Amino acid sequence: MENRLKPMDAEQLREYGHKMVDFIADYYKTIENFPVLSQVEPGYLRNLLPDSAPNQPDSFQHVLDDIQAKILPGVTHWQSPNYFAYHPSNSSVAGFVGEMLSAGLNIVGFSWIASPAATELEMIVLDWLAKMLKLPEDFLSAGQGGGVIQGTASEAVLVVLLAARDKVLRRVGKDALEKLVVYASDQTHSSLQKACQVGTTSSTAVDPLLSLGKIAKSNGMWFHVDAAYAGSACVCPEFRHYMDGVEVADSFNMNAHKWFLTNFDCSALWVKDRSALVQALSTNPEYLKNKASQANMVVDYKDWQVPLGRRFRSLKLWMVLRLYGLENLQCYIRNHIKLAKHFENLIAQDPRFEVVTPRIFSLVCFRLLPVRNNESHGNKLNHQLLDAVNSTGSAFISHTVLSGKYILRFAVGAPLTEEKHVNAAWKVLQDKATSLLAESL
Amino acid sequence: MENRLKPMDAEQLREYGHKMVDFIADYYKTIENFPVLSQVEPGYLRNLLPDSAPNQPDSFQHVLDDIQAKILPGVTHWQSPNYFAYHPSNSSVAGFVGEMLSAGLNIVGFSWIASPAATELEMIVLDWLAKMLKLPEDFLSAGQGGGVIQGTASEAVLVVLLAARDKVLRRVGKDALEKLVVYASDQTHSSLQKACQVGTTSSTAVDPLLSLGKIAKSNGMWFHVDAAYAGSACVCPEFRHYMDGVEVADSFNMNAHKWFLTNFDCSALWVKDRSALVQALSTNPEYLKNKASQANMVVDYKDWQVPLGRRFRSLKLWMVLRLYGLENLQCYIRNHIKLAKHFENLIAQDPRFEVVTPRIFSLVCFRLLPVRNNESHGNKLNHQLLDAVNSTGSAFISHTVLSGKYILRFAVGAPLTEEKHVNAAWKVLQDKATSLLAESL
């Protein structure tokens, strides 16, 4: 049987790789031409693609043409400067080339020996980031703690929960399993249902960490702090105080893939007692045994996470920190917060709108005020306003419900967003509000 | 506050991207110059990098120089043609450019609306792959089933376990939780400890699926088939019979990132009853609600997995299928199996060695025969042989223990491996065996 396929030819990689770089660079040059929120109908792609895979190879140019003609219309453009929905999911040049290198080396770093650089760079870079966040020293890898990159905050909180559960059960006995309790805010992230997480995703409010931490400690509880979104802001000295109380926490988590220019996925988790993770998650099958691991000379990150396999994700975070540096990253965060403040001021100048919860970082929660105090009609009105704005394709915002009120969320945080984009989005909001209010009279 | 940082400048992306493409293409041109298994000592990188992140940006060229000088020596080269350890972890040009595009678009596809193309392409491509594997029709998305990409087989089996648990508990009542049982082979993957998985990682033996499935069905059990590694071979008609019995399975999993040219991570999971997954894993927080989801018109993959966030991983699988086509992929698999058979023949010609378990796919389990039937000394000898071969850097193999015997594993499956690499590895094995046997006399 002849082997016709040369799937990893260096010169073909060079040729296709260069073409793909140009395709992506051109995408960013034209990103404002696309509707931010994809306007396709459910099932649109099924009609555009064949029912089964081809028997014979297709040309790369055909594939690129299909991406342009068939895939991009179905993409919601998270990297658009007019994207203000959910939360930011930052791409950057540094994060992108870091992802490229990770995909290029394509190692699976489950244990130290499987690629020592993958484990060691991750430990070092998470120490760097811990210092930028002024985390207490016991979260650093030099002591009993250390950091690890998880895919998402959901996964971070899942492993923390397993570690906390096993730690308390070792103390009180396994029969107590059904008596275990998890406390979280009523505004916590939905992943609590799957794992258990503390956070305030809807409004990005900040819990009083120090008071909560003291209560947790005096009751022998594991105290986890989820700063998935807002943690990035805490590299700026003027916002660091929102993390006060982290010194009594057992674990802390921030998503570098949200608002810190590191392409998805990169959720940084630190623990003070890494042995609690290892005791809950370690496996040691014969086929993975090796001298360095058996002698306890190294960290094997497979024992800090649920899956066995893991990508070389520290590369992209390392690139972001090296290619931008702390001062630029602080400027980046401050600029978004300045833009969010600007948006808040625009709202304040229009008496038809109100800011609903105090803005702390770069998320503004606001709404069109109900006409004649009719809250139920107000909710409907804001829902209609959301749909009207998003269906223009010129901006994408999302919503939540707080204390029964339908609220609009304007999350500044895309790397390309400038003041002109915020102004343009506000203009669309005002225009659509005018139309809706006229219709509802 | 001035925003000095332009983190997503299209022309900088173009410049850095092209440089990174050339760096990676050059890496593949020279990959055989590196020791396959990294020869660094634990902690090597800590001495080479600064203690904290820089305040000011560094140049891209400095970073590339550091990758060459400091990172690559610590990499174990899974893409080397002389890599025969653990299991394959295929990179390919198609998989690589697919990863690039996924990182370039950097969307988070938790629900359909968050990027319709991400959900729809995943459904379509997993239908394609299901047809290539001749999976029964009830695994396709047109009926009650469907496919989803998980990160790893560990995650696939975790979600299946949650679905199976909740399904049986709905039938027999929640109080039965402690009575639930999971059956698996004694050679199952280590992730069973964390989730629960059926498989034979050490030797890639194949369980008698049809008999097991009938027992499972007659007892009302969920039957999961894990073909994480060997599933790829089943796109060839002559190997498809190893999957016979999958028609009685509730779920089936194969890792396209192992032996199917799709860069890590890409674990394909199919279920017959997608509602079982959704009932176990669905969350519906207000801030993610949207018309298409509320009207049940779409699939929201967040309800098929543990985390909320997910990457656009179907792009790379789609690229692999389009750019190579079924016939080439079949040739690719057959060539590796032919090379493994060739290695097996080489062993058979050297009376000092034996093949330990029957080779089915591209993994050969073998060992140096103990001298004078001293099994304990034989185990030590094979351990020494493993270390001797791996410390040359010219090939990387791994080991396991089967029935008390220390066994060497030779897994053919790297995209660049040719017959000359297999021959060279065998030569090193023979030479090192000669030295060890001489010493032990």
Side-chain angles (χ1 to χ4, degrees):
Chain A
M1 184 73 53
E2 183 201 5
N3 180 26
R4 291 180 294 153
L5 183 62
K6 301 282 180 206
M8 188 34 98
D9 178 78
E11 293 312 319
Q12 193 187 56
L13 182 143
R14 202 186 302 273
E15 182 198 338
Y16 288 18
H18 284 313
K19 282 183 182 161
M20 187 57 89
V21 166
D22 284 328
F23 186 91
I24 295 168
D26 292 343
Y27 166 69
Y28 277 99
K29 281 191 101 75
T30 57
I31 195 166
E32 293 191 53
N33 300 343
F34 296 95
V36 190
L37 174 65
S38 171
Q39 305 288 317
V40 298
E41 294 295 320
Y44 90 101
L45 192 57
R46 184 77 63 177
N47 304 319
L48 300 176
L49 295 183
D51 280 343
S52 53
N55 280 320
Q56 300 297 328
D58 208 339
S59 78
F60 189 49
Q61 192 55 52
H62 277 169
V63 174
L64 287 177
D65 291 346
D66 273 0
I67 295 164
Q68 194 73 45
K70 298 171 183 172
I71 302 296
L72 289 187
V75 168
T76 293
H77 302 275
W78 288 61
Q79 303 312 317
S80 166
N82 301 308
Y83 176 94
F84 304 101
Y86 308 122
H87 54 72
S89 173
N90 284 186
S91 179
S92 69
V93 174
F96 173 70
V97 293
E99 276 285 9
M100 279 178 70
L101 183 59
S102 170
L105 298 175
N106 203 41
I107 60 94
V108 184
F110 44 69
S111 56
W112 180 85
I113 193 93
S115 245
T119 299
E120 298 203 9
L121 187 65
E122 188 160 327
M123 294 171 71
I124 292 167
V125 170
L126 287 200
D127 279 349
W128 285 11
L129 188 52
K131 288 175 187 172
M132 291 167 72
L133 291 165
K134 306 217 178 307
L135 282 182
E137 284 215 347
D138 33 10
F139 283 109
L140 299 182
S141 66
Q144 304 302 310
V148 59
I149 298 176
Q150 305 281 335
T152 62
S154 311
E155 289 160 73
V157 80
L158 175 61
V159 299
V160 161
L161 191 74
L162 295 172
R165 182 195 66 182
D166 286 7
K167 191 169 188 169
V168 74
L169 290 180
R170 278 194 299 275
R171 201 178 71 218
V172 301
K174 283 198 178 179
D175 294 343
L177 181 60
E178 293 188 9
K179 294 183 190 154
L180 298 185
V181 176
V182 173
Y183 292 95
S185 143
D186 67 343
Q187 292 298 315
T188 194
H189 189 270
S190 65
S191 58
L192 180 72
Q193 282 178 254
K194 295 186 186 177
C196 280
Q197 177 166 351
V198 180
T200 47
T201 308
S202 274
S203 62
T204 69
V206 178
D207 291 316
L209 299 185
L210 195 54
S211 328
L212 290 173
K214 282 181 180 163
I215 296 168
K217 286 298 101 176
S218 65
N219 288 281
M221 294 168 70
W222 184 293
F223 183 44
H224 175 67
V225 176
D226 173 4
Y229 157 74
S232 299
C234 298
V235 300
C236 302
E238 68 271 31
F239 299 115
R240 172 57 177 77
H241 68 92
Y242 288 110
M243 270 170 59
D244 285 354
V246 72
E247 54 283 5
V248 294
D250 295 288
S251 49
F252 177 83
N253 160 239
M254 72 82 93
N255 287 354
H257 61 240
K258 280 199 163 68
W259 192 18
F260 211 63
L261 294 172
T262 311
N263 289 43
F264 187 81
D265 52 355
C266 186
S267 179
L269 169 69
W270 292 268
V271 294
K272 279 185 182 165
D273 175 15
R274 58 176 177 256
S275 73
L277 279 183
V278 174
Q279 288 186 67
L281 294 162
S282 175
T283 57
N284 193 18
E286 182 62 37
Y287 49 87
L288 297 182
K289 284 182 183 167
N290 65 88
K291 273 184 204 160
S293 298
Q294 299 300 98
N296 260 322
M297 294 165 69
V298 293
V299 161
D300 288 329
Y301 274 129
K302 71 179 172 59
D303 299 335
W304 299 45
Q305 65 178 20
V306 172
L308 175 63
R310 62 201 320 274
R311 296 185 300 132
F312 199 162
R313 288 181 289 214
S314 56
L315 283 171
K316 58 187 171 187
L317 183 53
W318 182 56
M319 299 262 194
V320 164
L321 300 182
R322 292 257 332 241
L323 291 175
Y324 301 140
L326 174 58
E327 288 182 22
N328 268 327
L329 290 164
Q330 291 170 334
C331 285
Y332 175 73
I333 295 287
R334 286 172 183 142
N335 185 55
H336 282 150
I337 291 174
K338 189 186 71 173
L339 293 177
K341 214 168 179 170
H342 172 65
F343 183 75
E344 199 178 32
N345 289 336
L346 293 172
I347 294 172
Q349 288 160 33
D350 187 331
R352 300 173 302 172
F353 288 86
E354 69 165 352
V355 174
V356 178
T357 55
R359 180 201 52 77
I360 305 178
F361 304 107
S362 68
L363 171 70
V364 182
C365 290
F366 70 106
R367 64 169 183 160
L368 191 54
L369 281 166
V371 182
R372 288 180 295 276
N373 291 321
N374 183 339
E375 284 291 345
S376 143
H377 180 254
N379 284 352
K380 199 178 143 200
L381 202 63
N382 279 282
H383 195 148
Q384 287 171 329
L385 180 56
L386 180 88
D387 286 344
V389 169
N390 289 344
S391 65
T392 65
S394 60
F396 181 25
I397 59 175
S398 60
H399 80 286
T400 191
V401 170
L402 295 173
S403 310
K405 291 180 191 168
Y406 192 100
I407 307 291
L408 304 179
R409 295 169 82 266
F410 190 87
V412 180
L416 289 166
T417 301
E418 299 172 22
E419 192 175 304
K420 64 180 177 187
H421 303 107
V422 173
N423 290 339
W426 174 238
K427 178 80 170 47
V428 175
L429 273 160
Q430 283 187 308
D431 289 352
K432 292 296 172 188
T434 301
S435 306
L436 282 169
L437 289 171
E439 284 168 25
S440 70
L441 283 180
Chain B
M1 183 76 55
E2 185 203 2
N3 180 26
R4 290 180 293 155
L5 182 63
K6 300 281 179 205
M8 187 35 95
D9 178 78
E11 292 313 318
Q12 193 189 55
L13 183 144
R14 201 185 304 272
E15 181 197 338
Y16 288 18
H18 283 311
K19 282 183 181 160
M20 187 57 90
V21 166
D22 283 328
F23 186 92
I24 294 168
D26 291 343
Y27 166 71
Y28 278 99
K29 279 191 102 76
T30 58
I31 195 166
E32 292 191 54
N33 300 343
F34 296 95
V36 190
L37 175 65
S38 171
Q39 305 289 317
V40 298
E41 295 295 321
Y44 90 101
L45 192 57
R46 184 76 63 176
N47 304 320
L48 301 176
L49 295 183
D51 281 342
S52 53
N55 280 318
Q56 299 298 327
D58 207 338
S59 78
F60 188 49
Q61 192 54 53
H62 276 168
V63 174
L64 287 177
D65 292 345
D66 272 0
I67 295 165
Q68 194 72 45
K70 299 172 183 173
I71 302 295
L72 288 187
V75 169
T76 293
H77 302 276
W78 288 62
Q79 302 313 316
S80 166
N82 301 307
Y83 176 96
F84 304 102
Y86 309 123
H87 53 74
S89 173
N90 284 186
S91 180
S92 69
V93 174
F96 173 70
V97 293
E99 276 284 10
M100 279 177 71
L101 183 58
S102 169
L105 298 176
N106 202 44
I107 59 93
V108 184
F110 44 70
S111 55
W112 180 85
I113 193 88
S115 244
T119 298
E120 298 202 8
L121 187 65
E122 188 161 327
M123 293 170 70
I124 292 167
V125 170
L126 288 201
D127 279 349
W128 285 11
L129 188 52
K131 288 175 188 173
M132 289 167 74
L133 291 164
K134 304 213 182 305
L135 283 182
E137 285 215 347
D138 34 10
F139 284 110
L140 300 182
S141 65
Q144 304 302 310
V148 60
I149 298 176
Q150 304 282 334
T152 63
S154 310
E155 290 159 73
V157 80
L158 175 61
V159 299
V160 161
L161 191 74
L162 295 173
R165 182 196 66 182
D166 286 7
K167 192 170 187 169
V168 74
L169 290 180
R170 277 195 299 276
R171 200 177 71 219
V172 301
K174 284 196 176 179
D175 294 343
L177 181 60
E178 292 187 8
K179 294 182 190 154
L180 298 185
V181 177
V182 173
Y183 293 95
S185 142
D186 67 342
Q187 293 297 315
T188 193
H189 189 269
S190 65
S191 58
L192 181 70
Q193 284 178 252
K194 295 186 186 180
C196 280
Q197 178 168 351
V198 180
T200 48
T201 308
S202 274
S203 61
T204 68
V206 178
D207 292 315
L209 298 186
L210 195 54
S211 328
L212 289 173
K214 281 180 181 164
I215 297 168
K217 287 296 101 178
S218 65
N219 288 280
M221 294 168 71
W222 184 292
F223 183 44
H224 175 66
V225 175
D226 174 3
Y229 157 74
S232 299
C234 299
V235 299
C236 302
E238 67 271 32
F239 300 115
R240 173 57 179 76
H241 68 92
Y242 288 110
M243 268 169 59
D244 284 354
V246 71
E247 54 283 5
V248 293
D250 296 287
S251 49
F252 176 83
N253 158 239
M254 72 81 92
N255 287 353
H257 61 238
K258 280 198 163 69
W259 193 17
F260 211 63
L261 294 171
T262 311
N263 289 44
F264 186 82
D265 50 354
C266 187
S267 180
L269 169 69
W270 292 269
V271 294
K272 279 184 183 166
D273 173 14
R274 60 177 177 256
S275 73
L277 278 183
V278 174
Q279 288 185 69
L281 294 161
S282 175
T283 57
N284 194 17
E286 182 61 38
Y287 49 85
L288 298 182
K289 285 182 182 165
N290 65 88
K291 272 184 205 160
S293 298
Q294 299 300 101
N296 260 322
M297 293 165 71
V298 293
V299 161
D300 288 328
Y301 274 129
K302 71 179 174 57
D303 299 334
W304 298 45
Q305 64 178 19
V306 172
L308 175 64
R310 61 201 321 273
R311 296 186 299 131
F312 199 162
R313 286 181 290 215
S314 55
L315 283 172
K316 58 188 171 186
L317 183 54
W318 183 55
M319 299 263 196
V320 164
L321 300 182
R322 292 264 322 248
L323 291 174
Y324 301 140
L326 174 58
E327 288 182 23
N328 267 326
L329 289 164
Q330 290 171 334
C331 285
Y332 175 74
I333 294 287
R334 285 170 182 145
N335 185 54
H336 283 150
I337 291 174
K338 190 186 71 175
L339 293 178
K341 213 167 182 170
H342 172 66
F343 183 75
E344 197 179 35
N345 289 337
L346 293 172
I347 293 172
Q349 289 161 34
D350 187 330
R352 301 173 302 172
F353 288 86
E354 70 165 352
V355 174
V356 178
T357 54
R359 182 200 51 76
I360 304 177
F361 304 107
S362 68
L363 171 72
V364 182
C365 291
F366 69 107
R367 64 169 184 162
L368 191 54
L369 282 166
V371 183
R372 289 180 295 277
N373 291 322
N374 182 339
E375 284 291 344
S376 141
H377 180 254
N379 284 352
K380 200 179 144 199
L381 202 63
N382 279 284
H383 195 148
Q384 287 171 330
L385 180 57
L386 180 88
D387 286 343
V389 169
N390 289 343
S391 65
T392 65
S394 59
F396 180 27
I397 59 175
S398 60
H399 80 284
T400 192
V401 170
L402 295 174
S403 311
K405 291 180 190 167
Y406 192 99
I407 307 291
L408 304 180
R409 294 169 83 265
F410 191 87
V412 180
L416 289 166
T417 300
E418 300 172 22
E419 191 175 306
K420 65 180 178 188
H421 303 106
V422 173
N423 290 340
W426 173 238
K427 178 80 169 47
V428 174
L429 272 159
Q430 283 186 307
D431 289 352
K432 292 295 171 187
T434 301
S435 307
L436 281 170
L437 289 171
E439 285 168 24
S440 71
L441 285 180

